[in-house]
Amino acid sequence: MAEQQEQVAPDAVMTRIGQVVMLHHGGDVDEARDRFLELWAEIGEDGDALHRCTLAHYMADTQQDPADELAWDLRALQAAGELTDGRVEEHHHSLAVRAFYPSLHLNLAADYAKLDRTEAARSHLRLAYEAVGTLGDDSYGDGIRAAMIRLDLRLNGHDSAGGREERPGPPGQRH
């Protein structure tokens, strides 16, 4: 008996984004950034919102300059605002747009913290906390919640860890 497919039809762009994410996780940041830029040029500023949200989210991770990272995370948030649950479900039946927001706001909070814009960081962290109830009790949700707590502690002077934290990806890229 054939297993039920989670996607209605393969999405070639999401597959390509996933391949570049693996390249990045393998340590080739420069090549990943170049390939993301090529994909961004193909997708365009007005392309599919799921593609733009996912690509911008991961492109932010390849940036060395915190201001550039922030710009890409803002693009991801803007694209998420254009998404519908129907479009997200086309990619994966168990996803909902609202589940993207804890990660998106957490990433923006971390970006603002790096730029010493503490009030903006706290504002986005509050938005992440408001949205975190949409996440399941699984490793993805646990990772987001743990990262939120770490950032909260750091913003309130309880943790001096200033290094770059691993950012959880949006639910659309879970495996």
Side-chain angles (χ1 to χ4, degrees):
M1 178 189 239
E3 291 184 34
Q4 180 182 5
Q5 289 187 339
E6 292 183 351
Q7 292 181 326
V8 175
D11 183 328
V13 173
M14 291 298 282
T15 298
R16 290 171 63 200
I17 291 170
Q19 291 168 340
V20 179
V21 169
M22 291 189 322
L23 182 68
H24 176 236
H25 288 169
D28 199 342
V29 178
D30 294 334
E31 181 66 21
R33 186 174 37 252
D34 290 346
R35 289 191 189 184
F36 279 141
L37 283 172
E38 289 171 12
L39 275 168
W40 187 260
E42 288 177 31
I43 294 168
E45 293 283 333
D46 297 318
D48 182 288
L50 179 62
H51 297 159
R52 287 184 292 119
C53 180
T54 305
L55 190 147
H57 171 79
Y58 285 110
M59 180 62 148
D61 291 340
T62 68
Q63 302 305 302
Q64 294 178 342
D65 183 329
D68 292 337
E69 186 174 2
L70 172 63
W72 283 103
D73 279 328
L74 287 169
R75 285 181 184 105
L77 181 65
Q78 179 183 16
E82 299 171 27
L83 276 171
T84 65
D85 281 332
R87 174 59 185 108
V88 174
E89 288 171 4
E90 286 175 19
H91 175 65
H92 192 285
H93 67 84
S94 69
L95 293 178
V97 175
R98 65 187 179 279
F100 285 40
Y101 286 96
S103 174
L104 293 171
H105 284 295
L106 170 62
N107 292 334
L108 285 164
D111 296 341
Y112 284 120
K114 289 176 196 171
L115 293 166
D116 292 323
R117 295 177 58 188
T118 306
E119 286 310 309
R122 286 187 175 121
S123 176
H124 278 281
L125 188 57
R126 274 191 298 276
L127 292 169
Y129 274 117
E130 289 172 11
V132 78
T134 63
L135 299 179
D137 290 326
D138 55 15
S139 61
Y140 176 78
D142 292 345
I144 296 288
R145 285 184 284 274
M148 289 169 59
I149 291 168
R150 285 191 305 272
L151 181 56
D152 200 354
L153 290 170
R154 198 168 88 220
L155 287 174
N156 290 299
H158 299 292
D159 183 353
S160 62
R164 183 179 180 95
E165 290 187 19
E166 171 107 4
R167 297 163 16 123
Q173 285 297 122
R174 289 189 286 185
H175 298 307

